[in-house]
Amino acid sequence: AQSVTQLDSQVPVFEEAPVELRCNYSSSVSVYLFWYVQYPNQGLQLLLKYLSGSTLVESINGFEAEFNKSQTSFHLRKPSVHISDTAEYFCAVYSGNTPLVFGKGTRLSVIA
Amino acid sequence: EAGVTQSPTHLIKTRGQQATLRCSPISGHTSVYWYQQALGLGLQFLLWYDEGEERNRGNFPPRFSGRQFPNYSSELNVNALELEDSALYLCASSSFNQPQHFGDGTRLSIL
């Protein structure tokens, strides 16, 4: 069975500072990895995904994540955050023919 | 392309009543998933339907049930509502081995 650990439940950061949200997973089979973002009173939106190929994946709004198989990690990074990035971020793992397994989420608060 | 749509947006019930939540997937998606997001508990998997069949079920009591219709839309039914059922219920859809896309959820409040 897969599991996902998001090491930080809350991350406060000043505007224009860099941020890293950590995600580790465990699985005995090959996995697909995802980051979803949830803004207040909304559902989850897919931020980025790793299915295969390049281990560095990027989103359209400046976030990136790197799949590290040896460390079983998929940390999310952004070099300079904006107030509008304030949201909850969920890491998820999928191994085919199973539901997504989510981490408990990290609440990113960007401070002006 | 229309996204995943859920109805109603909000639902208020009292203990012991029954609730029905509805979900329309993205066109072409055959799988529908239901999740419960309760305060402080994160996202918990409830049910997965694909091609009209229940494929997997999370660790929830039998009073949580559902079905998927021939047009791939889905219904989640919760019987004998309890206070702890108050949560945001999220529906997601996908096609095979593709990422799940989520609706905005139904907020169920039990008084």
Side-chain angles (χ1 to χ4, degrees):
Chain A
Q2 299 98 41
S3 67
V4 177
T5 303
Q6 291 184 244
L7 296 160
D8 306 296
S9 60
Q10 296 190 60
V11 173
V13 62
F14 286 103
E15 195 173 16
E16 298 184 7
V19 70
E20 179 180 80
L21 307 184
R22 296 179 291 170
C23 171
N24 287 89
Y25 70 94
S26 67
S27 176
S28 57
V29 298
S30 296
V31 296
Y32 302 145
L33 293 156
F34 306 90
W35 276 99
Y36 284 85
V37 58
Q38 185 178 33
Y39 298 102
N41 300 313
Q42 293 186 25
L44 275 68
Q45 298 175 30
L46 181 65
L47 188 59
L48 44 76
K49 61 189 178 189
Y50 171 76
L51 303 180
S52 64
S54 173
T55 57
L56 184 66
V57 290
E58 297 176 355
S59 72
I60 56 172
N61 58 354
F63 282 95
E64 64 178 31
E66 186 158 21
F67 170 55
N68 188 319
K69 189 174 181 180
S70 62
Q71 306 221 349
T72 61
S73 68
F74 191 55
H75 301 332
L76 181 69
R77 302 184 184 95
K78 189 171 185 179
S80 175
V81 295
H82 190 267
I83 293 287
S84 60
D85 294 324
T86 294
E88 186 137 21
Y89 292 79
F90 292 91
C91 181
V93 63
Y94 169 75
S95 65
N97 217 33
T98 62
L100 273 176
V101 175
F102 286 90
K104 291 194 178 299
T106 297
R107 186 170 298 276
L108 174 64
S109 299
V110 180
I111 306 160
Chain B
E1 176 186 82
V4 177
T5 58
Q6 291 187 244
S7 63
T9 306
H10 293 93
L11 191 55
I12 300 173
K13 295 284 186 179
T14 58
R15 286 179 61 190
Q17 284 189 313
Q18 186 248 358
T20 299
L21 288 64
R22 296 179 176 84
C23 173
S24 292
I26 289 172
S27 177
H29 288 185
T30 60
S31 281
V32 170
Y33 307 80
W34 288 95
Y35 295 86
Q36 183 195 66
Q37 189 176 25
L39 203 60
L41 295 180
L43 278 152
Q44 309 222 29
F45 166 70
L46 265 165
L47 290 159
W48 171 21
Y49 293 96
D50 182 64
E51 298 282 3
E53 301 283 333
E54 183 180 299
R55 300 296 184 188
N56 206 331
R57 181 184 180 86
N59 188 25
F60 280 83
R63 58 191 185 83
F64 286 84
S65 65
R67 54 181 171 166
Q68 187 178 33
F69 299 99
N71 66 353
Y72 303 115
S73 67
S74 177
E75 219 171 64
L76 174 69
N77 295 293
V78 188
N79 293 321
L81 287 164
E82 300 179 3
L83 291 176
E84 54 264 34
D85 296 334
S86 292
L88 181 66
Y89 289 83
L90 292 166
C91 173
S93 74
S94 75
S95 51
F96 182 70
N97 271 353
Q98 292 301 310
Q100 293 178 21
H101 295 265
F102 284 79
D104 283 338
T106 292
R107 186 161 297 281
L108 177 61
S109 299
I110 313 301
L111 304 179

